[in-house]
Amino acid sequence: MSARVVIAGGGLAGLSLAVALLDRDPAARVTVLEPRTAYADDRTWCFWDVEPHPFRDLIAQRWRSWRVATPAGVAVAEDAGVPYARVRAGDVYARARERIAAAPNAELRTGVSVRRVAGDHVETETGEVIGAGVVCDGRPPAADALRAPGEPFLWQVFAGARVHARPGTFAPGTVDLMDFRVPQAGEIRFRYVLPDSDASALVELTAFTPSLPERGALDGALADAVAGVAGNAAEVVAGEQGAIPMTTALPPAPAAPGVIPIGTRAGAPRPSTGYAFLPIQRHAARLAERILAGAPQPLPMRGAGTRWLDRIFLNRLLAEPQGAPELFRRLAAGVPGDALARFLMERARPADVVRVMAALPVGPFAREAVRSTTPWPARAAG
Ligand SMILES: Cc1cc2nc3c(=O)[nH]c(=O)nc-3n(C[C@H](O)[C@H](O)[C@H](O)COP(=O)(O)OP(=O)(O)OC[C@H]3O[C@@H](n4cnc5c(N)ncnc54)[C@H](O)[C@@H]3O)c2cc1C
């Protein structure tokens, strides 16, 4: 029988890893430890539907086109076979919980908070020690552990509202991916509108910002964004908020030797976009294979090539934030929808990369490429 895998944190990464293990070995011995006592439908996970994964059949909605708008114009990209997709966190949690409950040797223990992890056991806040063959750590990382000297860093902070409005308010087939025609407040800000129907949508106000703002700091801007798209009579029925790190810094070292980080702690969010859902699914699949093959060890979330490209892009955003809206609009206008979707989801073909490069201003990016390739101590000295 395989060694028991103990997973600290039953969020997206912890539950995805449990499902990936059970998909490959229904008798796998898995314990997930999660402080929550109840799961709510607390997040909306979106991504371009580029590949299969265990939750693909839960996709609640797909959109064929998406828009990027700036004061200079509006670019509309069409999916050409790769739609933008959404799953509800509540559906993912429910599916994973059913799978774990039905498995003979797996358990999800809610109301359990992990205090310490080691290579062969975890200790809970109540002092219980749980022995393990493999320990995976999906607890959120400390914010101050995410930065590294010389590596760009931005927070993607967002506040969202689920809005009901008059029929005809929203265009149901199109996502407003980034609408920069909102006050920028010295940051990079945009409105995101994900319509369920012509009368209902998730409206978010997102900021790319170097430091984490106080909770509620975006509320006023969100209210304006909602009023701007849906009018003052729109009804807000629910909220959603979060902060995602965007950095090419390598993720923090494991909390103890032999422990395997997963999810955000392992650097799941793509540095240039913050998208993490598909990287987490891929990481869970690869890690499950390794664990079941008896070779558990930390796995990098992505290769050096993507980090290099993202370092260049993030450094451009930091060097010239006021130019960011046009960069994104040029990408949506100049790159075919399917190529851009694959690029953003880290599944680019060589021709996709060429198209993305061709859509960006050559001079600043070439200079940034040289700068971003120089090892950081030399840059810091220069
Ligand atoms: C609101 C929101 C919306 C997002 N939308 C998207 C999106 O549309 N597309 C996309 O690709 N990415 C999105 N992301 C980014 C990413 O997909 C999510 O953050 C995802 O939930 C990350 O998974 P995770 O397992 O690393 O973290 P989480 O899902 O946050 O899981 C961490 C878990 O650890 C638990 N925990 C905390 N402390 C302890 C402890 N001491 N012991 C044990 N467990 C502990 C928490 O309760 C939680 O369940 C979004 C993020 C947020 C915040």
Side-chain angles (χ1 to χ4, degrees):
M1 185 170 273
S2 60
R4 176 158 296 277
V5 182
V6 175
I7 302 172
L12 178 62
L15 294 175
S16 298
L17 177 59
V19 168
L21 287 162
L22 294 173
D23 276 349
R24 288 161 180 79
D25 176 6
R29 300 171 68 206
V30 184
T31 297
V32 183
L33 304 172
E34 166 59 37
R36 276 181 268 198
T37 51
Y39 280 86
D41 186 19
D42 57 356
R43 287 175 192 187
T44 302
W45 281 310
C46 288
F47 47 87
W48 277 271
D49 188 20
V50 291
E51 66 194 20
H53 54 79
F55 304 107
R56 195 183 205 181
D57 64 311
L58 297 179
I59 290 176
Q61 204 166 354
R62 290 180 171 84
W63 292 267
R64 289 190 44 80
S65 69
W66 56 91
R67 275 193 296 235
V68 176
T70 72
V74 178
V76 182
E78 295 286 337
D79 75 18
V82 189
Y84 195 62
R86 177 186 71 171
V87 294
R88 295 190 185 92
D91 292 342
V92 171
Y93 298 146
R95 163 69 57 80
R97 296 187 71 176
E98 277 164 26
R99 290 294 312 280
I100 293 169
N105 301 314
E107 58 177 352
L108 167 64
R109 290 179 56 189
T110 53
V112 178
S113 193
V114 170
R115 181 195 297 163
R116 250 191 298 277
V117 292
D120 60 356
H121 69 274
V122 307
E123 185 185 326
T124 71
E125 287 293 353
T126 58
E128 183 187 358
V129 174
I130 302 170
V134 179
V135 174
C136 297
D137 190 1
R139 296 171 297 166
D144 56 7
L146 297 170
R147 295 174 190 252
E151 294 289 355
F153 187 99
L154 281 169
W155 284 107
Q156 181 177 145
V157 187
F158 50 92
R162 188 151 291 287
V163 171
H164 287 173
R166 276 200 318 275
T169 301
F170 304 109
T174 302
V175 171
D176 270 322
L177 205 57
M178 302 175 116
D179 188 336
F180 292 96
R181 295 170 299 180
V182 295
Q184 296 294 298
E187 302 173 328
I188 301 169
R189 288 190 172 192
F190 57 88
R191 184 173 60 200
Y192 171 82
V193 181
L194 197 65
D196 305 316
S197 70
D198 70 345
S200 162
L202 174 68
V203 179
E204 286 185 358
L205 194 284
T206 301
F208 292 171
T209 176
S211 49
L212 207 49
E214 305 245 314
R215 206 176 166 79
L218 290 180
D219 288 357
L222 172 63
D224 291 344
V226 169
V229 72
N232 288 323
E235 185 194 357
V236 174
V237 293
E240 174 173 322
Q241 54 187 302
I244 303 175
M246 296 167 69
T247 180
T248 47
L250 289 172
V259 172
I260 302 178
I262 58 173
T264 307
R265 184 176 275 267
R270 178 163 185 184
S272 61
T273 65
Y275 282 100
F277 184 88
L278 288 184
I280 284 173
Q281 301 313 316
R282 293 171 193 146
H283 195 247
R286 287 190 295 135
L287 192 54
E289 303 276 355
R290 296 289 277 268
I291 290 172
L292 293 171
Q297 63 184 68
L299 290 178
M301 197 57 69
R302 55 184 55 83
T306 303
R307 275 185 70 224
W308 180 74
L309 284 174
D310 283 15
R311 185 179 297 119
I312 296 169
F313 196 79
L314 280 180
N315 276 330
R316 276 311 305 156
L317 294 188
L318 283 162
E320 216 181 309
Q322 69 281 10
E326 276 310 297
L327 286 184
F328 288 107
R329 194 182 66 83
R330 285 174 75 142
L331 285 173
V335 184
D338 55 337
L340 185 56
R342 285 191 296 268
F343 181 82
L344 294 172
M345 295 293 102
E346 306 179 54
R347 281 292 181 261
R349 302 168 184 164
D352 300 336
V353 179
V354 172
R355 285 176 148 143
V356 168
M357 299 290 183
L360 294 170
V362 178
F365 272 85
R367 282 193 294 280
E368 197 56 68
V370 173
R371 221 175 69 84
S372 297
T373 310
T374 312
W376 72 264
R379 271 195 282 146

